[in-house]
Amino acid sequence: MREPPTEQLLHTLAAWAARIGGGMIFLIAVLVCGDVFTRNVLNRIVFHSFELGNYLFAIAAAFGMAYALLARAHIRIDVAYNKFPAAMRRTVDLLALASTTAVASLFAYKAWVLALGALARGVKTNSTLGIEIGYPQAAWALGLSFFALVGLVLTLRHIRLLIAGQTVRADALAGIGSEIPGNSGQEAPAEAKVAS
Amino acid sequence: MIGTATGVLFGLIALGLPVAVVLVITALVLDHFYSFFPLLPAMGDVLWGAFGNFTMIAVPLFIMTGEILLRSGIAQEMFAGVDLWVRRIPGGLLHTNIASSALFAATSGSSVATAATISTVAIPQMEKGGYKAPLFLGSIAAGGTLGILIPPSINMIVYGVLSEVSISRLYLAGLIPGILLALLFSGMIFVVFLVMPSLGRGDRSEITWGERLHGLRGMLPPMLLFTLMVGSIYAGIATPTEAAALGVMAALAMAGFRGKLSMKLMGEVFDSTMRVTCMVMFIVAAAVLLNFVLVGIGLTGKLAGFVAGLDVEPLTVMLVLIAIYLLLGCFMETLSLMIATTPIVVPIIVQLGYDPLWFGVLFMILIEAALITPPIGVNLFVVQSVRRTGAFRDVTLGALPFLLMMIVMMGLLLAFPALATWLPDMMRN
Amino acid sequence: ADLPATTINVVGNLGITTQSKKLEAPFWNEVVKEKSNGAITANFRPWNEMGLKGSEVFKLLSQGVMNIASAQLGHHSGADPINDGNDLAGLSENFAQFKELTTAYFPVLQKYYRDNLGLHLITMQSFQDQVLYCTKEIKTLKDLQGRRIRGSGASQSDFVGYFGATPVDMSFGDVQPALEQGVLDCAITGTLGGYTAKWYESAKYLYTLPLNFGANAIVANAAWWDGLAPEVQEFLTTEIGALSDQMWALNAEEDEIGSQCNTTGPCAMGEPGGMVLVEPSAEDIALRHEALTNAVLPGWIKRCGDVCKTAFNESLAPIAGLSIK
Ligand code: NA
Ligand code: NA
């Protein structure tokens, strides 16, 4: 049961979202340093990193949530889980994916209500920049929606794998702590030359 | 009500649902039954506030600095260099973990980033050295917490804002207790390994002084970073938050200087930064929602009222406060815990005659304790997420002896307040 | 007659201020209960403790998250620029005139809140004189040229920008070290707020020309308010009015205390800060007016449009002695 094309596409999208999100964090660093430089040297604030940084971070973090879900980075505790029989563990795995999807959907919904409300009322930030806050909020809401979408697709796939009896794949998709086959972005960094 | 909260929280977390999801569920349940201020209509704003917070941005910046140092081999050289100096002491690599954490803490304002960096370097060494998992992992989780006690420190910035204590003075106040706590950790490891050598032998081979001096080179980059990040603050170039961004650039320059900079490296740095950042942000966002409900119910206020109403010695009140924080720290995410309680507690301790600067340092140690106590201990999560296999219980158990040392350190601070106040006082005169 | 039993959920202003500690918190936690013979009780929480930023408070109020809220108007001027009206930088000569302007503006704002936001404005009050704390000597507003200044709100930015200064956004807690290390040259806040935040440790000159006054308002959700028994409405209007009077008095008093504490004393709050007190000259007062007409008012109208122009001309113009064309 290979991954259907739509799901592969989502995987690729999530990986790209994370890559771009990391780039945005890096951009924040560049902007902040730019402001430190121009403020000390030119006596001016050029990049408004204090405000822009907030938006970049919120958007990046929202879009990265899906990637963290695919990488199974969202923390779950295994104290009791490890003692459960396999069927129980898989039920909990399904519950975990479904509840994550539910929470992500709630977040996304609330984010859209906030963003659309701000756009409708033309709310601006009370700062020198004075930009319409609804735009960064909408981008943020879009990121959270992507999180919810990936959660939904993973939940459905987990159900299909369980029905098909593909338990190894199901566990690789949704379990705690098992190895992820062929997971990119998990390259081990160079090892320390200790005890050599 | 506390019973309900604890029941929901423990039950669902133990079941194996994602921690962030459980926090949201707990918040919704408590909100539904007890709160005066409904969460749902406020949720969009509260979430946006949690995501769009300039101080919070420092977290991914510190994580990114760590990732760059890691993937360009600089963190590994630091670790190996430190190791040459401490490996022959009983406890071997665990001392390396603590010393490396302390050194790295001087370049990072985040306990999460410190723990994430040191875990990635140290955990592969655990099996090679034949160390038993629990205490080894505990030393990383606990060592990582030094990130917020040794300057720079995000949590000190937050405390400074809320309590109106100078952040620069807080940084100075944290330095001596930070080093002392690292020594306490190491002392404890030493004694434990003397009593139980079976915990792991490691490499005990002879090392020449030439090798040791050579190893110092590995410690140079973190020293330079510390000088830049803390120095830029005291030189008037950058704010404490901005210094985190300078750190990213400096780490990048160091990687470039070593010829390690490439698109591939940056891609890996971006991916890892996002993985850790988003894991943490999901929990933080959920915890901020829970905080809204807990404050709405009046739980934190009631506890503070209880403390303020105690008709006993100031020291007793302080001990009760510490006990309450240790308890709250088990359940609450640390930034939320600080934001919710600092404005209530600081006036109380000032009234009792304690110095808010001194309390800031004590508070940092309480926050450090919260980071390594289950069920919600973010540093435990970080170590476990880097490790990826094995039971979470290992990390939790291994951190307990270090928790004990934190309590000892708090005792020392109570007995000798000058440990925190001497350095800032001296620098002022 | 006994009032019907009522529980009110209140979100109060920034909990670390003396106004919250001395007046607002005791009022909601104790006073209302005493004065109503136990009929009215409140659940009171400052917004910062709930993890809010301040600028969303009135919106949450209109959505029914709480019944009554108190917050700074300036925080809400991004959503509704009309909130800046009575407290534009440079508009009031002094505290007394600010109070006059506020009284005149009250019905305008009350109508706007009722018609546009679903809110019932109960009272308006001040924080304190918003003054400049500078590290380098300042004799006149012209000295602001080229300095980096942390303020809050668009009208303060317009004001200092007019004199060639760079407005810097920065979180409150970063300000003290930023002044100390020279990241900032000046910062704007209340006279007592700056003292308790220990800005005097790094800033040496207190320039006492007030730029504005940190206008504040106590507001109720209109639907909830309209559903109250008339005698409860009356009780709350009276008592909150009395609270508001106390806030005005406290802030006027603290302006004085703050100035003394920051400079040579006497200071009951702690050691005097030892700052140099710089009194504005007649020339500065003229300059302030110039900045108001040339930068602050045009900037505000640009953000807000005709609504604000009408509001200003109808209620504020006679007292301020100028109108917007
Ligand atoms: Na640190
Ligand atoms: Na904990």
Side-chain angles (χ1 to χ4, degrees):
Chain A
M1 196 166 178
R2 275 183 56 83
E3 272 192 67
T6 45
E7 287 166 26
Q8 276 179 348
L9 179 69
L10 274 186
H11 266 89
T12 315
L13 276 178
W16 273 103
R19 193 57 70 89
I20 294 168
M24 285 160 77
I25 304 280
F26 183 70
L27 180 62
I28 296 172
V30 174
L31 292 177
V32 172
C33 288
D35 273 345
V36 170
F37 178 81
T38 58
R39 190 183 59 217
N40 284 288
V41 177
L42 311 174
N43 223 358
R44 283 179 53 206
I45 304 291
V46 175
F47 301 107
H48 296 280
S49 57
F50 182 84
E51 188 172 343
L52 291 180
N54 278 341
Y55 310 144
L56 285 172
F57 174 59
I59 295 164
F63 271 97
M65 293 284 171
Y67 173 72
L69 181 65
L70 283 167
R72 293 184 304 164
H74 294 307
I75 293 291
R76 297 165 60 192
I77 309 270
D78 60 4
V79 179
Y81 181 89
N82 280 337
K83 300 194 177 70
F84 291 158
M88 173 78 173
R89 276 209 303 269
R90 287 178 192 126
T91 314
V92 172
D93 289 343
L94 181 58
L95 264 179
L97 273 179
S99 61
T100 304
T101 307
V103 167
S105 308
L106 178 66
F107 280 17
Y109 170 69
K110 289 293 175 186
W112 278 117
V113 171
L114 181 76
L116 296 176
L119 283 174
R121 295 189 301 137
V123 178
K124 296 206 170 125
T125 56
N126 190 16
S127 64
T128 5
L129 273 186
I131 63 168
E132 274 217 35
I133 191 76
Y135 291 113
Q137 284 175 343
W140 170 68
L142 195 66
L144 291 173
S145 310
F146 183 57
F147 181 29
L149 177 69
V150 169
L152 180 66
V153 170
L154 285 184
T155 310
L156 295 176
R157 176 153 176 81
H158 190 240
I159 294 173
R160 277 212 308 276
L161 288 171
L162 288 180
I163 291 172
Q166 303 237 10
T167 50
V168 178
R169 278 163 179 275
D171 293 349
L173 183 81
I176 309 178
S178 49
E179 291 305 322
I180 304 169
N183 187 343
S184 63
Q186 286 290 311
E187 301 90 348
E191 284 208 351
K193 293 189 200 72
V194 173
S196 57
Chain B
M1 178 195 68
I2 297 177
T4 316
T6 323
V8 175
L9 210 60
F10 267 119
L12 295 178
I13 285 181
L15 191 64
L17 293 185
V19 170
V21 170
V22 176
L23 292 179
V24 175
I25 294 173
T26 313
L28 290 172
V29 169
L30 290 178
D31 173 63
H32 184 75
F33 289 108
Y34 305 104
S35 187
F36 305 110
F37 302 87
L39 173 64
L40 283 172
M43 195 184 254
D45 286 282
V46 175
L47 278 177
W48 175 250
F51 275 83
N53 176 332
F54 193 71
T55 313
M56 204 62 223
I57 294 176
V59 176
L61 294 178
F62 282 128
I63 291 172
M64 187 169 275
T65 305
E67 288 292 336
I68 295 173
L69 296 179
L70 201 60
R71 281 159 204 278
S72 59
I74 294 171
Q76 288 81 347
E77 277 195 24
M78 172 193 80
F79 192 82
V82 170
D83 188 59
L84 289 171
W85 287 80
V86 299
R87 78 158 65 141
R88 288 177 58 82
I89 307 169
L93 264 181
L94 279 77
H95 296 292
T96 311
N97 291 343
I98 298 296
S100 301
S101 297
L103 193 56
F104 193 81
T107 74
S108 177
S110 150
S111 286
V112 169
T114 308
T117 308
I118 302 300
S119 316
T120 319
V121 183
I123 287 176
Q125 309 298 333
M126 181 172 80
E127 277 183 29
K128 271 198 233 162
Y131 292 95
K132 297 256 165 58
L135 199 64
F136 189 92
L137 298 171
S139 72
I140 305 171
T145 66
L146 293 170
I148 60 169
L149 185 57
I150 296 173
S153 164
I154 291 171
N155 295 61
M156 281 188 181
I157 296 177
V158 172
Y159 177 81
V161 173
L162 294 169
S163 66
E164 301 174 340
V165 172
S166 150
I167 294 162
S168 321
R169 297 191 75 214
L170 272 170
Y171 277 10
L172 291 172
L175 201 55
I176 292 174
I179 294 166
L180 203 55
L181 185 57
L183 290 175
L184 279 175
F185 287 166
S186 267
M188 186 271 292
I189 293 168
F190 179 80
V191 172
V192 169
F193 271 75
L194 272 189
V195 179
M196 290 186 285
S198 64
L199 284 173
R201 258 194 62 80
D203 183 357
R204 302 287 283 273
S205 56
E206 283 291 339
I207 303 148
T208 65
W209 279 99
E211 284 174 307
R212 287 206 179 100
L213 289 177
H214 191 76
L216 283 181
R217 280 184 31 181
M219 299 181 215
L220 196 62
M223 289 300 194
L224 281 174
L225 267 178
F226 176 73
T227 311
L228 173 78
M229 293 169 85
V230 177
S232 65
I233 299 168
Y234 288 94
I237 297 165
T239 66
T241 321
E242 289 168 343
L246 293 179
V248 173
M249 291 303 146
L252 198 73
M254 285 175 182
F257 184 71
R258 295 163 58 100
K260 290 287 172 62
L261 209 55
S262 66
M263 287 304 282
K264 183 169 173 294
L265 178 128
M266 286 313 282
E268 289 170 16
V269 166
F270 289 177
D271 291 347
S272 297
T273 303
M274 287 304 280
R275 214 178 52 245
V276 183
T277 301
C278 294
M279 181 271 277
V280 173
M281 267 317 289
F282 195 23
I283 294 179
V284 167
V288 170
L289 295 179
L290 181 59
N291 170 58
F292 181 91
V293 176
L294 289 179
V295 173
I297 291 171
L299 179 64
T300 34
K302 269 181 203 142
L303 282 177
F306 163 74
V307 172
L310 290 175
D311 185 23
V312 287
E313 291 289 300
L315 180 65
T316 315
V317 179
M318 187 53 77
L319 293 177
V320 171
L321 260 182
I322 290 174
I324 290 177
Y325 268 116
L326 287 173
L327 188 71
L328 282 177
C330 292
F331 304 102
M332 290 181 74
E333 189 276 325
T334 50
L335 275 179
S336 311
L337 178 64
M338 292 186 70
I339 293 167
T341 61
T342 309
I344 306 173
V345 164
V346 168
I348 298 176
I349 64 108
V350 170
Q351 207 169 4
L352 293 173
Y354 288 101
D355 180 355
L357 176 72
W358 169 87
F359 182 71
V361 175
L362 186 85
F363 200 7
M364 286 310 122
I365 301 172
L366 285 166
I367 296 295
E368 290 188 85
L371 287 167
I372 58 165
T373 49
I376 314 289
V378 175
N379 267 28
L380 304 174
F381 299 155
V382 168
V383 172
Q384 179 67 13
S385 83
V386 172
R387 183 186 179 209
R388 302 193 78 84
T389 55
F392 178 66
R393 193 182 53 234
D394 292 345
V395 196
T396 311
L397 282 179
L400 282 181
F402 296 93
L403 179 66
L404 206 63
M405 290 303 108
M406 290 176 181
I407 294 171
V408 170
M409 185 67 224
M410 288 189 265
L412 286 174
L413 271 175
L414 279 166
F416 311 102
L419 287 173
T421 53
W422 176 75
L423 192 58
D425 283 351
M426 204 191 63
M427 293 296 279
R428 181 182 266 180
N429 302 328
Chain C
D2 282 350
L3 293 168
T6 311
T7 305
I8 310 172
N9 299 322
V10 184
V11 168
N13 214 337
L14 193 59
I16 56 178
T17 57
T18 45
Q19 176 165 298
S20 172
K21 290 180 202 163
K22 283 186 181 168
L23 297 178
E24 207 173 22
F27 175 82
W28 291 110
N29 290 329
E30 294 145 32
V31 176
V32 278
K33 198 171 173 180
E34 284 164 21
K35 298 253 169 123
S36 66
N37 293 324
I40 296 179
T41 50
N43 295 303
F44 172 81
R45 317 274 186 269
W47 55 252
N48 57 309
E49 285 172 22
M50 305 193 81
L52 302 175
K53 289 172 152 183
S55 56
E56 69 285 71
V57 172
F58 288 161
K59 196 190 112 194
L60 297 187
L61 178 66
S62 71
Q63 292 172 347
V65 175
M66 51 278 200
N67 307 131
I68 291 182
S70 134
Q72 263 179 279
L73 287 173
H75 280 161
H76 295 83
S77 63
D80 299 278
I82 196 169
N83 282 312
D84 267 341
N86 63 322
D87 198 27
L88 290 162
L91 180 61
S92 306
E93 299 270 328
N94 49 40
F95 201 74
Q97 195 187 11
F98 171 64
K99 192 166 183 183
E100 246 185 289
L101 286 166
T102 303
T103 311
Y105 204 52
F106 182 81
V108 177
L109 206 59
Q110 192 176 47
K111 182 166 163 29
Y112 182 89
Y113 269 45
R114 175 62 74 164
D115 295 348
N116 297 283
L117 307 177
L119 297 175
H120 172 73
L121 183 61
I122 305 173
T123 61
M124 290 166 76
Q125 52 287 125
S126 71
F127 251 154
Q128 291 151 27
D129 283 13
Q130 301 292 303
V131 296
L132 281 155
Y133 293 69
C134 291
T135 53
K136 286 175 272 184
E137 185 165 24
I138 170 168
K139 287 178 176 152
T140 151
L141 284 171
K142 283 183 179 159
D143 291 341
L144 294 181
Q145 167 73 37
R147 295 200 191 188
R148 299 178 291 231
I149 301 178
R150 190 269 187 189
S152 49
S155 90
Q156 280 186 3
S157 294
D158 287 343
F159 188 90
V160 299
Y162 180 73
F163 295 103
T166 305
V168 178
D169 288 320
M170 189 179 285
S171 56
F172 190 78
D174 271 351
V175 173
Q176 199 276 337
L179 284 168
E180 181 155 323
Q181 317 305 341
V183 173
L184 291 173
D185 302 306
C186 303
I188 303 167
T189 194
T191 50
L192 194 63
Y195 176 78
T196 51
K198 298 194 169 57
W199 287 10
Y200 58 84
E201 281 182 8
S202 28
K204 289 295 154 226
Y205 297 88
L206 186 73
Y207 182 68
T208 58
L209 181 81
L211 302 191
N212 54 357
F213 299 86
N216 204 69
I218 301 178
V219 186
N221 177 297
W224 171 82
W225 178 265
D226 296 342
L228 289 175
E231 61 268 34
V232 176
Q233 287 178 353
E234 197 183 321
F235 172 83
L236 287 174
T237 307
T238 310
E239 294 306 328
I240 293 173
L243 169 71
S244 184
D245 291 343
Q246 289 175 345
M247 287 176 170
W248 280 104
L250 178 75
N251 284 308
E253 185 191 330
E254 286 188 343
D255 266 338
E256 200 49 45
I257 295 174
S259 284
Q260 287 171 352
C261 282
N262 276 315
T263 53
T264 51
C267 178
M269 324 254 320
E271 288 291 303
M275 293 178 78
V276 178
L277 190 79
V278 184
E279 302 269 13
S281 64
E283 185 205 11
D284 282 348
I285 288 166
L287 281 173
R288 177 174 63 181
H289 193 75
E290 201 181 300
L292 172 72
T293 47
N294 293 350
V296 174
L297 287 177
W300 183 51
I301 296 302
K302 203 174 137 206
R303 289 192 296 280
C304 182
D306 287 341
V307 185
C308 290
K309 194 190 279 188
T310 317
F312 188 94
N313 288 338
E314 281 178 4
S315 64
L316 300 174
I319 299 164
L322 81 168
S323 60
I324 306 174
K325 293 190 182 65

Coordinates of all heavy atoms in Angstrom, one line a residue, chain A residues 152-191:
Chain A
L152 N -5.9 15.5 9.3 CA -7.1 14.8 8.8 C -6.6 13.7 7.9 O -7.1 12.5 8.0 CB -8.0 15.7 8.1 CG -9.3 15.1 7.5 CD1 -10.2 14.5 8.6 CD2 -10.1 16.1 6.6
V153 N -5.7 14.0 6.9 CA -5.2 13.0 6.0 C -4.5 11.9 6.7 O -4.7 10.7 6.4 CB -4.3 13.7 4.9 CG1 -3.6 12.7 4.1 CG2 -5.1 14.6 4.1
L154 N -3.7 12.2 7.7 CA -3.0 11.2 8.4 C -4.0 10.3 9.2 O -3.8 9.0 9.2 CB -2.0 11.8 9.4 CG -0.7 12.4 8.8 CD1 0.2 12.8 9.9 CD2 0.0 11.3 8.0
T155 N -5.0 10.9 9.8 CA -6.0 10.1 10.5 C -6.7 9.1 9.5 O -6.8 7.9 9.9 CB -7.1 11.0 11.1 OG1 -6.4 12.1 11.8 CG2 -8.0 10.3 12.1
L156 N -7.1 9.6 8.4 CA -7.8 8.7 7.4 C -6.9 7.6 7.0 O -7.3 6.4 6.8 CB -8.3 9.5 6.2 CG -9.4 10.6 6.6 CD1 -9.8 11.4 5.4 CD2 -10.6 9.9 7.2
R157 N -5.6 8.0 6.7 CA -4.7 7.0 6.2 C -4.5 5.9 7.3 O -4.4 4.7 7.0 CB -3.4 7.6 5.8 CG -2.3 6.6 5.4 CD -1.3 7.2 4.4 NE -0.2 6.2 4.1 CZ -0.4 5.3 3.2 NH1 -1.5 5.1 2.6 NH2 0.6 4.4 3.0
H158 N -4.4 6.4 8.5 CA -4.2 5.4 9.7 C -5.3 4.4 9.7 O -5.1 3.2 9.9 CB -4.0 6.2 11.0 CG -3.6 5.3 12.1 ND1 -4.3 5.2 13.3 CD2 -2.5 4.6 12.3 CE1 -3.7 4.4 14.1 NE2 -2.6 4.0 13.5
I159 N -6.5 5.0 9.6 CA -7.7 4.1 9.6 C -7.6 3.1 8.5 O -7.8 1.9 8.7 CB -9.0 4.9 9.5 CG1 -9.2 5.8 10.7 CG2 -10.2 4.0 9.3 CD1 -10.4 6.8 10.6
R160 N -7.3 3.5 7.3 CA -7.2 2.6 6.1 C -6.2 1.5 6.3 O -6.4 0.4 6.0 CB -6.9 3.4 4.8 CG -8.1 4.1 4.2 CD -7.9 4.1 2.7 NE -6.7 4.8 2.3 CZ -6.5 6.1 2.2 NH1 -7.5 6.9 2.5 NH2 -5.4 6.6 1.8
L161 N -5.0 1.9 6.9 CA -4.0 1.0 7.1 C -4.4 -0.1 8.1 O -4.1 -1.3 8.0 CB -2.7 1.7 7.6 CG -1.9 2.5 6.5 CD1 -0.8 3.3 7.2 CD2 -1.3 1.5 5.5
L162 N -5.1 0.4 9.2 CA -5.6 -0.5 10.2 C -6.6 -1.5 9.6 O -6.5 -2.7 9.9 CB -6.2 0.2 11.4 CG -5.3 1.0 12.3 CD1 -6.0 1.7 13.4 CD2 -4.2 0.1 12.9
I163 N -7.5 -1.0 8.8 CA -8.5 -1.9 8.2 C -7.9 -2.9 7.2 O -8.2 -4.1 7.2 CB -9.5 -1.0 7.4 CG1 -10.4 -0.2 8.3 CG2 -10.4 -1.9 6.5 CD1 -11.3 0.8 7.6
A164 N -6.8 -2.4 6.5 CA -6.1 -3.3 5.6 C -5.2 -4.3 6.4 O -4.5 -5.1 5.8 CB -5.3 -2.5 4.6
G165 N -5.1 -4.1 7.7 CA -4.2 -5.0 8.5 C -2.7 -4.7 8.3 O -1.9 -5.5 8.7
Q166 N -2.4 -3.5 7.8 CA -1.0 -3.1 7.6 C -0.5 -2.5 8.9 O -0.2 -1.3 8.9 CB -0.9 -2.2 6.4 CG -1.5 -2.7 5.1 CD -0.5 -2.7 4.0 OE1 0.7 -2.4 4.3 NE2 -0.9 -3.0 2.8
T167 N -0.4 -3.3 9.9 CA -0.1 -2.8 11.2 C 1.3 -2.1 11.3 O 1.5 -1.1 12.0 CB -0.2 -3.9 12.3 OG1 0.6 -5.0 11.9 CG2 -1.7 -4.2 12.5
V168 N 2.3 -2.7 10.6 CA 3.6 -2.2 10.7 C 3.7 -0.7 10.1 O 4.2 0.2 10.8 CB 4.6 -3.0 9.9 CG1 6.0 -2.4 9.9 CG2 4.7 -4.4 10.4
R169 N 3.0 -0.5 9.0 CA 2.9 0.8 8.4 C 2.1 1.7 9.3 O 2.5 2.9 9.5 CB 2.3 0.7 7.0 CG 3.2 0.3 5.9 CD 2.4 -0.1 4.7 NE 3.3 -0.5 3.6 CZ 3.8 0.4 2.8 NH1 3.5 1.6 2.8 NH2 4.6 0.0 1.8
A170 N 1.0 1.2 9.8 CA 0.2 2.0 10.7 C 1.0 2.5 11.9 O 0.9 3.7 12.3 CB -1.0 1.2 11.2
D171 N 1.8 1.6 12.5 CA 2.6 2.0 13.7 C 3.7 3.0 13.3 O 4.0 3.9 14.0 CB 3.2 0.8 14.3 CG 2.2 -0.2 14.9 OD1 1.0 0.3 15.0 OD2 2.5 -1.3 15.3
A172 N 4.2 2.8 12.1 CA 5.3 3.7 11.6 C 4.7 5.1 11.4 O 5.4 6.1 11.5 CB 5.9 3.2 10.3
L173 N 3.4 5.2 11.1 CA 2.7 6.4 10.8 C 2.4 7.2 12.1 O 2.5 8.4 12.2 CB 1.5 6.2 10.0 CG 0.7 7.4 9.5 CD1 1.3 8.0 8.3 CD2 -0.8 7.0 9.2
A174 N 1.9 6.4 13.1 CA 1.2 7.0 14.2 C 1.7 6.6 15.6 O 1.3 7.1 16.6 CB -0.3 6.8 14.2
G175 N 2.7 5.7 15.7 CA 3.1 5.2 17.0 C 4.0 6.1 17.7 O 4.4 7.2 17.2
I176 N 4.3 5.8 19.0 CA 5.3 6.6 19.7 C 6.6 5.9 19.6 O 6.7 4.7 20.0 CB 4.9 6.8 21.2 CG1 3.5 7.3 21.4 CG2 5.9 7.7 21.9 CD1 3.1 7.4 22.9
G177 N 7.7 6.6 19.2 CA 9.0 6.0 19.5 C 9.5 5.0 18.5 O 10.7 4.6 18.6
S178 N 8.7 4.5 17.6 CA 9.3 3.5 16.7 C 10.1 4.3 15.6 O 9.8 5.4 15.4 CB 8.2 2.6 16.0 OG 7.2 3.5 15.6
E179 N 11.0 3.6 14.9 CA 11.8 4.3 13.9 C 11.0 4.6 12.7 O 10.1 3.9 12.3 CB 12.9 3.3 13.5 CG 14.0 3.1 14.6 CD 14.5 4.4 15.2 OE1 14.7 5.4 14.4 OE2 14.8 4.5 16.4
I180 N 11.3 5.8 12.2 CA 10.5 6.2 11.0 C 11.4 5.8 9.8 O 12.5 6.2 9.6 CB 10.3 7.7 11.0 CG1 9.6 8.1 12.3 CG2 9.6 8.1 9.7 CD1 9.6 9.6 12.5
P181 N 10.8 4.9 8.9 CA 11.6 4.6 7.7 C 11.7 5.7 6.7 O 10.8 6.4 6.4 CB 10.7 3.4 7.1 CG 9.4 3.4 7.7 CD 9.5 4.4 8.9
G182 N 13.0 5.9 6.3 CA 13.2 6.9 5.2 C 12.8 8.3 5.5 O 12.4 9.0 4.7
N183 N 12.9 8.7 6.8 CA 12.5 10.1 7.1 C 13.6 11.1 6.8 O 14.6 11.0 7.4 CB 12.1 10.1 8.6 CG 11.5 11.4 9.0 OD1 11.6 12.4 8.3 ND2 10.9 11.5 10.1
S184 N 13.3 11.9 5.9 CA 14.3 13.0 5.6 C 14.2 14.0 6.7 O 13.3 14.1 7.5 CB 14.0 13.6 4.2 OG 12.7 14.3 4.3
G185 N 15.2 14.9 6.8 CA 15.2 15.9 7.8 C 15.6 15.3 9.1 O 15.5 16.0 10.2
Q186 N 16.0 14.1 9.1 CA 16.4 13.4 10.4 C 17.9 13.0 10.3 O 18.3 12.2 11.1 CB 15.6 12.2 10.6 CG 14.2 12.5 11.1 CD 14.1 13.0 12.5 OE1 14.7 12.5 13.4 NE2 13.4 14.1 12.6
E187 N 18.6 13.7 9.4 CA 20.0 13.3 9.2 C 20.7 13.5 10.5 O 20.6 14.5 11.2 CB 20.7 14.1 8.2 CG 20.1 14.1 6.8 CD 19.0 15.1 6.6 OE1 18.6 15.7 7.6 OE2 18.5 15.3 5.5
A188 N 21.5 12.5 10.9 CA 22.2 12.6 12.2 C 23.3 13.6 11.9 O 24.0 13.6 10.9 CB 22.8 11.3 12.6
P189 N 23.5 14.6 12.8 CA 24.6 15.5 12.7 C 26.0 14.8 13.0 O 26.0 13.7 13.5 CB 24.4 16.6 13.7 CG 23.5 15.9 14.7 CD 22.7 14.8 14.0
A190 N 27.0 15.4 12.6 CA 28.4 14.8 12.8 C 28.5 14.4 14.3 O 28.0 15.1 15.1 CB 29.4 15.9 12.4
E191 N 29.2 13.3 14.5 CA 29.3 12.9 15.9 C 30.5 13.5 16.5 O 31.5 13.8 15.8 CB 29.4 11.3 15.9 CG 28.1 10.7 15.6 CD 28.0 9.3 16.3 OE1 29.1 8.9 16.8 OE2 27.0 8.7 16.4

